[in-house]
Amino acid sequence: MPYIGNIPAEKYAAFNVQYFTTSATATYTLDRAVANELDIRLVINNVIQEPGSGKAYTAAGTTLTLSAATAGSDTMYCVYIGKAVQTVNPGAGSVGTTALADNAVTNAKLADATQGDVIYYAAAGAPAQLSAGTNGHFLKTQGAGANPTWAAVPAGTTLTGSTNNQVTTVTGADAITGETNLTFDGNDLTLGNGNIVFGTASKGVYLGVTSATASNLLDDYEFGDFTPTWTAVGSGSISATPTNFAKYVKSGRQVTVSVSTIFQTSGTFTDYKITNLPFTQSMIGAGTGVEYGQVGCGLMIQGVNNSTQFLVKRYDGGFIANAYVMLSYTYIATA
């Protein structure tokens, strides 16, 4: 049926009843305050009494006044039907989750607990309370199927032997130590002594840039000896292997070789070639040389592309026997 205003909560109507211990008196005390006698229904000896002044009873606040005193053998009870009626309180255990709106239960409605306690779900799936732990402990999960617990923070590693700006490393004993010879002041990384060693070959340093730029990568440097092979070009020969001083320096792809020797020659040839360079040329380089015999004479060096050789030419005539030759040649290697 239709209603004006809110629909009565009939489903959970719960009328409160008070039973009295009767005696030879006309005044009794109600368990709860009422506005007037119309807020209760009084029953004496199973007979409903008429409320009102000049009738069977009146009531105000917690005082019930009868028009005539009862006897000790009478039975009397009242039903609170007015303001004291709890028409919207459901019965115990009668409210399910569907009857509650989301977020309807506020913190104020939760049971009070001790400050620092933690609520979690126990083995049966019901909420449980973990008492506050020891100061400084942390809440530790023990994985599925176990309750959380408080635990002490594990002891950390100790930093030893460190001064300002030292870079720290971890030792085999899981301790941290400051490296005396390696410092960083926020701008410069300084290595006191020793060398920088890369863990992988063909790695280097990008110089002068702030990003990985291929043209600025220095990833190779070598210094060493090599054994050149001398061959006369034209009518003549180099009769014996000369005494060589042959060194090379390789920085990136740039290679510079320096050669000095005294060798014996025969015949009349104006140039010769040196082979067995330490790295293959990707493009012709440039160099100079000088020969010392009876008089000094300049030498011209001409590289041969994609090879490990270069030609040496004399400006004025053939080479002389037992000449002392000094050469320097710079080229770009293929790799």
Side-chain angles (χ1 to χ4, degrees), residues 21-293:
T21 300
T22 58
S23 62
T25 182
T27 302
Y28 291 88
T29 301
L30 299 173
D31 287 344
R32 62 193 64 197
V34 297
N36 53 52
E37 60 272 6
L38 298 179
D39 285 343
I40 62 173
R41 181 172 67 246
L42 185 64
V43 180
I44 300 176
N45 296 327
N46 296 323
V47 177
I48 298 176
Q49 306 297 304
E50 183 180 6
S53 178
K55 310 298 182 181
Y57 66 95
T58 59
T62 58
T63 301
L64 171 63
T65 303
L66 306 180
S67 59
T70 56
S73 59
D74 292 334
T75 60
M76 184 175 70
Y77 67 89
C78 74
V79 179
Y80 294 89
I81 59 175
K83 292 182 179 179
V85 174
Q86 301 293 319
T87 59
V88 294
N89 285 348
S94 63
V95 177
T97 57
T98 57
L100 294 176
D102 292 343
N103 300 318
V105 180
T106 63
N107 290 336
K109 298 301 181 182
L110 298 177
D112 291 341
T114 303
Q115 185 178 14
D117 290 357
V118 175
I119 302 298
Y120 67 94
Y121 288 97
Q129 186 172 325
L130 178 64
S131 298
T134 303
N135 183 24
H137 285 197
F138 69 96
L139 185 62
K140 178 182 178 181
T141 178
Q142 302 187 90
N147 295 333
T149 185
W150 298 108
V153 178
T157 55
T158 302
L159 176 60
T160 59
S162 177
T163 59
N164 289 342
N165 300 330
Q166 285 186 351
V167 177
T168 59
T169 58
V170 179
T171 67
D174 292 331
I176 301 175
T177 184
E179 294 295 337
T180 304
N181 295 312
L182 186 60
T183 60
F184 180 66
D185 63 2
N187 294 304
D188 299 322
L189 181 65
T190 303
L191 182 64
N193 55 46
N195 300 303
I196 298 175
V197 179
F198 293 96
T200 304
S202 301
K203 300 299 180 183
V205 179
Y206 292 98
L207 298 175
V209 292
T210 58
S211 62
T213 305
S215 59
N216 294 83
L217 176 62
L218 179 61
D219 59 355
D220 189 13
Y221 179 86
E222 295 183 36
F223 175 82
D225 300 311
F226 74 103
T227 302
T229 301
W230 307 78
T231 304
V233 177
S235 178
S237 65
I238 299 175
S239 62
T241 302
T243 301
N244 293 316
F245 172 85
K247 300 286 186 180
Y248 74 89
V249 176
K250 185 175 187 288
S251 179
R253 291 176 57 197
Q254 179 175 297
V255 182
T256 298
V257 296
S258 299
V259 179
S260 63
T261 186
I262 299 175
F263 56 80
Q264 297 175 351
T265 65
S266 63
T268 57
F269 57 89
T270 59
D271 57 354
Y272 57 87
K273 62 181 178 180
I274 294 179
T275 60
N276 200 37
L277 290 175
F279 303 96
T280 301
Q281 303 170 82
S282 69
M283 58 186 298
I284 296 174
T288 59
V290 64
E291 173 192 305
Y292 294 96

